[in-house]
Amino acid sequence: METTTLDNKQLEKLRDMIEDIRIAMMTTVDGQGNLVSRPMAALQVDENGTVWFFTKRSSPKVDQIDNSENRVNLSFADVSDATYVSVSGTAQELDDRAKVDELWNPQAKAWFPDGKEDPDLILLKVHIDMAEYWNASDSTMVRIIQQAASVITGNPPKMGENVKVYN
């Protein structure tokens, strides 16, 4: 596994992978120390390595973030393309109406029926501190053949790149 500091090229690749997958499982820690995950739609990954989400101010995850030193994990998976991303970062709630306007999309209305002006609507921004991704560039058929060959040879298959980056 390659470990590096996040540069512009790697950030761009990470942004592309996250934006293609779009749905993350966001993990926080509840008051009893349990890990709690829920699906969240990533709205944007900006040039600074920040992932943006809409959430409700009254959501339990907001309290969980505040109680866990703002640490979260985001997991993205696209099984069909064998692309997986794990992000550790620092989350912050933000009430920024200009940013809400910028990121608003028609799908958000399902969760926020009052639209962009919903008083419970806030932003969560997660600054990427560390990310790890696995990406197989081979087709599904090639990956299946590699896995079958590894059973015969006893050597693990080479299933693509695995990179850990720090921001």
Side-chain angles (χ1 to χ4, degrees):
M1 172 180 52
E2 179 184 342
T3 303
T4 62
T5 301
L6 190 61
D7 62 27
N8 288 342
K9 181 180 160 192
Q10 289 170 322
L11 178 57
E12 191 61 37
K13 181 170 186 163
L14 195 59
R15 288 174 67 187
D16 288 344
M17 286 190 290
I18 290 172
E19 288 175 350
D20 285 347
I21 298 170
R22 205 170 148 266
I23 302 298
M25 290 299 290
M26 177 183 284
T27 303
T28 57
V29 180
D30 72 11
Q32 290 75 44
N34 300 307
L35 297 174
V36 182
S37 299
R38 82 280 294 148
M40 300 281 293
L43 301 167
Q44 177 187 66
V45 183
D46 69 22
E47 63 281 350
N48 299 315
T50 301
V51 187
W52 292 88
F53 300 91
F54 288 142
T55 195
K56 292 185 177 193
R57 186 184 316 271
S58 59
S59 169
K61 76 178 138 309
V62 172
D63 289 333
Q64 292 166 2
I65 289 167
D66 289 340
N67 292 331
S68 65
E69 299 178 0
N70 299 354
R71 303 292 301 155
V72 299
N73 179 267
L74 305 173
S75 298
F76 298 85
D78 183 344
V79 177
S80 64
D81 283 343
T83 301
Y84 307 91
V85 179
S86 177
V87 171
S88 296
T90 308
Q92 177 185 2
E93 309 96 49
L94 192 63
D95 193 352
D96 180 338
R97 290 337 220 181
K99 190 70 175 177
V100 167
D101 285 343
E102 175 190 335
L103 298 174
W104 184 257
N105 62 69
Q107 294 84 8
K109 187 126 174 118
W111 286 271
F112 302 97
D114 293 335
K116 296 185 278 188
E117 302 309 317
D118 188 319
D120 205 27
L121 170 63
I122 59 170
L123 293 160
L124 270 183
K125 67 179 200 173
V126 177
H127 177 74
I128 298 172
D129 296 327
M130 191 274 292
E132 188 169 8
Y133 61 83
W134 300 260
N135 184 259
S137 57
D138 295 325
S139 70
T140 301
M141 185 54 70
V142 170
R143 291 192 312 264
I144 290 170
I145 292 168
Q146 288 174 340
Q147 288 173 355
S150 74
V151 170
I152 295 167
T153 65
N155 297 322
K158 296 197 183 328
M159 300 301 289
E161 67 178 330
N162 172 215
V163 178
K164 184 183 286 188
V165 292
Y166 294 90
N167 200 3

